[in-house]
mmCIF file of all heavy atoms in Angstrom:
data_model
loop_
_atom_site.group_PDB
_atom_site.id
_atom_site.type_symbol
_atom_site.label_atom_id
_atom_site.label_comp_id
_atom_site.label_asym_id
_atom_site.label_seq_id
_atom_site.Cartn_x
_atom_site.Cartn_y
_atom_site.Cartn_z
ATOM 1 N N GLY W 243 -26.961 -5.486 -28.488
ATOM 2 C CA GLY W 243 -27.155 -6.930 -28.597
ATOM 3 C C GLY W 243 -27.210 -7.594 -27.232
ATOM 4 O O GLY W 243 -28.072 -8.451 -26.969
ATOM 5 N N ILE W 244 -26.294 -7.212 -26.346
ATOM 6 C CA ILE W 244 -26.282 -7.764 -24.978
ATOM 7 C C ILE W 244 -27.551 -7.374 -24.240
ATOM 8 O O ILE W 244 -28.164 -8.178 -23.520
ATOM 9 C CB ILE W 244 -25.029 -7.265 -24.226
ATOM 10 C CG1 ILE W 244 -23.770 -7.865 -24.853
ATOM 11 C CG2 ILE W 244 -25.112 -7.600 -22.738
ATOM 12 C CD1 ILE W 244 -22.478 -7.269 -24.344
ATOM 13 N N TYR W 245 -27.969 -6.123 -24.436
ATOM 14 C CA TYR W 245 -29.182 -5.634 -23.786
ATOM 15 C C TYR W 245 -30.412 -6.416 -24.249
ATOM 16 O O TYR W 245 -31.257 -6.818 -23.422
ATOM 17 C CB TYR W 245 -29.356 -4.145 -24.079
ATOM 18 C CG TYR W 245 -30.684 -3.584 -23.633
ATOM 19 C CD1 TYR W 245 -30.924 -3.254 -22.303
ATOM 20 C CD2 TYR W 245 -31.720 -3.394 -24.554
ATOM 21 C CE1 TYR W 245 -32.156 -2.752 -21.903
ATOM 22 C CE2 TYR W 245 -32.943 -2.880 -24.165
ATOM 23 C CZ TYR W 245 -33.157 -2.560 -22.835
ATOM 24 O OH TYR W 245 -34.380 -2.072 -22.447
ATOM 25 N N GLU W 246 -30.531 -6.635 -25.548
ATOM 26 C CA GLU W 246 -31.702 -7.348 -26.078
ATOM 27 C C GLU W 246 -31.778 -8.772 -25.528
ATOM 28 O O GLU W 246 -32.865 -9.258 -25.177
ATOM 29 C CB GLU W 246 -31.646 -7.370 -27.607
ATOM 30 C CG GLU W 246 -31.892 -6.017 -28.265
ATOM 31 C CD GLU W 246 -33.261 -5.425 -27.952
ATOM 32 O OE1 GLU W 246 -34.209 -6.217 -27.692
ATOM 33 O OE2 GLU W 246 -33.386 -4.195 -27.932
ATOM 34 N N LYS W 247 -30.642 -9.441 -25.424
ATOM 35 C CA LYS W 247 -30.630 -10.794 -24.861
ATOM 36 C C LYS W 247 -31.040 -10.772 -23.392
ATOM 37 O O LYS W 247 -31.805 -11.617 -22.934
ATOM 38 C CB LYS W 247 -29.246 -11.414 -25.014
ATOM 39 C CG LYS W 247 -28.891 -11.792 -26.451
ATOM 40 C CD LYS W 247 -27.503 -12.431 -26.514
ATOM 41 C CE LYS W 247 -27.155 -12.809 -27.956
ATOM 42 N NZ LYS W 247 -25.790 -13.396 -28.048
ATOM 43 N N ALA W 248 -30.520 -9.793 -22.652
ATOM 44 C CA ALA W 248 -30.861 -9.685 -21.237
ATOM 45 C C ALA W 248 -32.327 -9.321 -21.049
ATOM 46 O O ALA W 248 -33.003 -9.833 -20.148
ATOM 47 C CB ALA W 248 -29.969 -8.643 -20.568
ATOM 48 N N LEU W 249 -32.840 -8.441 -21.923
ATOM 49 C CA LEU W 249 -34.244 -8.045 -21.845
ATOM 50 C C LEU W 249 -35.150 -9.245 -22.080
ATOM 51 O O LEU W 249 -36.153 -9.440 -21.379
ATOM 52 C CB LEU W 249 -34.520 -6.950 -22.867
ATOM 53 C CG LEU W 249 -35.931 -6.362 -22.887
ATOM 54 C CD1 LEU W 249 -36.241 -5.639 -21.577
ATOM 55 C CD2 LEU W 249 -36.086 -5.396 -24.071
ATOM 56 N N GLU W 250 -34.790 -10.056 -23.055
ATOM 57 C CA GLU W 250 -35.585 -11.246 -23.356
ATOM 58 C C GLU W 250 -35.537 -12.244 -22.202
ATOM 59 O O GLU W 250 -36.540 -12.886 -21.874
ATOM 60 C CB GLU W 250 -35.063 -11.889 -24.639
ATOM 61 C CG GLU W 250 -35.874 -13.113 -25.082
ATOM 62 C CD GLU W 250 -35.351 -13.713 -26.375
ATOM 63 O OE1 GLU W 250 -34.467 -13.095 -27.023
ATOM 64 O OE2 GLU W 250 -35.820 -14.801 -26.738
ATOM 65 N N LYS W 251 -34.386 -12.358 -21.582
ATOM 66 C CA LYS W 251 -34.200 -13.350 -20.526
ATOM 67 C C LYS W 251 -34.813 -12.913 -19.194
ATOM 68 O O LYS W 251 -35.437 -13.712 -18.486
ATOM 69 C CB LYS W 251 -32.710 -13.629 -20.342
ATOM 70 C CG LYS W 251 -32.387 -14.713 -19.318
ATOM 71 C CD LYS W 251 -30.893 -14.999 -19.279
ATOM 72 C CE LYS W 251 -30.561 -16.095 -18.273
ATOM 73 N NZ LYS W 251 -29.094 -16.368 -18.229
ATOM 74 N N TYR W 252 -34.656 -11.627 -18.847
ATOM 75 C CA TYR W 252 -35.042 -11.166 -17.508
ATOM 76 C C TYR W 252 -36.286 -10.281 -17.497
ATOM 77 O O TYR W 252 -36.897 -10.085 -16.446
ATOM 78 C CB TYR W 252 -33.894 -10.395 -16.870
ATOM 79 C CG TYR W 252 -32.611 -11.184 -16.754
ATOM 80 C CD1 TYR W 252 -31.543 -10.926 -17.612
ATOM 81 C CD2 TYR W 252 -32.465 -12.196 -15.806
ATOM 82 C CE1 TYR W 252 -30.356 -11.653 -17.514
ATOM 83 C CE2 TYR W 252 -31.285 -12.923 -15.705
ATOM 84 C CZ TYR W 252 -30.234 -12.643 -16.565
ATOM 85 O OH TYR W 252 -29.067 -13.360 -16.467
ATOM 86 N N GLY W 253 -36.635 -9.703 -18.641
ATOM 87 C CA GLY W 253 -37.814 -8.856 -18.708
ATOM 88 C C GLY W 253 -37.513 -7.405 -18.413
ATOM 89 O O GLY W 253 -36.471 -7.063 -17.843
ATOM 90 N N PRO W 254 -38.437 -6.506 -18.778
ATOM 91 C CA PRO W 254 -38.207 -5.060 -18.630
ATOM 92 C C PRO W 254 -38.162 -4.587 -17.187
ATOM 93 O O PRO W 254 -37.652 -3.504 -16.907
ATOM 94 C CB PRO W 254 -39.390 -4.438 -19.371
ATOM 95 C CG PRO W 254 -40.457 -5.484 -19.343
ATOM 96 C CD PRO W 254 -39.736 -6.795 -19.422
ATOM 97 N N GLU W 255 -38.692 -5.377 -16.240
ATOM 98 C CA GLU W 255 -38.723 -4.942 -14.845
ATOM 99 C C GLU W 255 -37.481 -5.358 -14.059
ATOM 100 O O GLU W 255 -37.372 -5.071 -12.864
ATOM 101 C CB GLU W 255 -39.976 -5.502 -14.160
ATOM 102 C CG GLU W 255 -41.267 -4.942 -14.752
ATOM 103 C CD GLU W 255 -42.504 -5.489 -14.066
ATOM 104 O OE1 GLU W 255 -42.353 -6.372 -13.190
ATOM 105 O OE2 GLU W 255 -43.612 -5.031 -14.395
ATOM 106 N N GLN W 256 -36.546 -6.043 -14.709
ATOM 107 C CA GLN W 256 -35.311 -6.425 -14.034
ATOM 108 C C GLN W 256 -34.580 -5.173 -13.536
ATOM 109 O O GLN W 256 -34.336 -4.233 -14.269
ATOM 110 C CB GLN W 256 -34.395 -7.206 -14.990
ATOM 111 C CG GLN W 256 -32.977 -7.415 -14.484
ATOM 112 C CD GLN W 256 -32.914 -8.274 -13.238
ATOM 113 O OE1 GLN W 256 -33.566 -9.322 -13.175
ATOM 114 N NE2 GLN W 256 -32.149 -7.847 -12.242
ATOM 115 N N MET W 281 -34.418 -2.500 -16.677
ATOM 116 C CA MET W 281 -34.097 -2.718 -18.085
ATOM 117 C C MET W 281 -34.882 -1.779 -18.995
ATOM 118 O O MET W 281 -34.381 -1.333 -20.029
ATOM 119 C CB MET W 281 -34.381 -4.176 -18.460
ATOM 120 C CG MET W 281 -33.457 -5.186 -17.797
ATOM 121 S SD MET W 281 -31.757 -5.068 -18.378
ATOM 122 C CE MET W 281 -31.916 -5.728 -20.024
ATOM 123 N N ALA W 282 -36.096 -1.464 -18.606
ATOM 124 C CA ALA W 282 -36.930 -0.589 -19.440
ATOM 125 C C ALA W 282 -36.317 0.801 -19.560
ATOM 126 O O ALA W 282 -36.205 1.359 -20.661
ATOM 127 C CB ALA W 282 -38.346 -0.508 -18.870
ATOM 128 N N GLY W 285 -33.213 0.994 -21.650
ATOM 129 C CA GLY W 285 -33.492 1.043 -23.078
ATOM 130 C C GLY W 285 -33.627 2.471 -23.580
ATOM 131 O O GLY W 285 -33.214 2.787 -24.704
ATOM 132 N N ILE W 328 -25.614 -4.087 -16.400
ATOM 133 C CA ILE W 328 -26.053 -5.454 -16.684
ATOM 134 C C ILE W 328 -25.077 -6.451 -16.062
ATOM 135 O O ILE W 328 -25.483 -7.479 -15.499
ATOM 136 C CB ILE W 328 -26.186 -5.673 -18.204
ATOM 137 C CG1 ILE W 328 -27.342 -4.832 -18.756
ATOM 138 C CG2 ILE W 328 -26.401 -7.149 -18.533
ATOM 139 C CD1 ILE W 328 -27.458 -4.856 -20.270
ATOM 140 N N PHE W 331 -25.737 -7.401 -12.312
ATOM 141 C CA PHE W 331 -26.697 -8.427 -11.893
ATOM 142 C C PHE W 331 -26.439 -9.771 -12.560
ATOM 143 O O PHE W 331 -26.833 -10.819 -12.027
ATOM 144 C CB PHE W 331 -28.157 -7.958 -12.094
ATOM 145 C CG PHE W 331 -28.679 -7.988 -13.502
ATOM 146 C CD1 PHE W 331 -29.119 -9.170 -14.077
ATOM 147 C CD2 PHE W 331 -28.784 -6.819 -14.246
ATOM 148 C CE1 PHE W 331 -29.624 -9.194 -15.369
ATOM 149 C CE2 PHE W 331 -29.285 -6.836 -15.532
ATOM 150 C CZ PHE W 331 -29.701 -8.027 -16.101
ATOM 151 N N GLU W 332 -25.768 -9.791 -13.698
ATOM 152 C CA GLU W 332 -25.462 -11.074 -14.330
ATOM 153 C C GLU W 332 -24.205 -11.721 -13.744
ATOM 154 O O GLU W 332 -24.095 -12.951 -13.717
ATOM 155 C CB GLU W 332 -25.289 -10.901 -15.848
ATOM 156 C CG GLU W 332 -26.580 -10.682 -16.594
ATOM 157 C CD GLU W 332 -26.445 -10.951 -18.078
ATOM 158 O OE1 GLU W 332 -25.393 -10.620 -18.650
ATOM 159 O OE2 GLU W 332 -27.415 -11.499 -18.667
#
Side-chain angles (χ1 to χ4, degrees):
I244 293 170
Y245 171 79
E246 290 299 332
K247 288 181 180 178
L249 183 64
E250 183 179 351
K251 183 176 181 180
Y252 302 105
E255 295 180 355
Q256 168 64 46
M281 292 292 288
I328 292 173
F331 77 80
E332 286 198 322

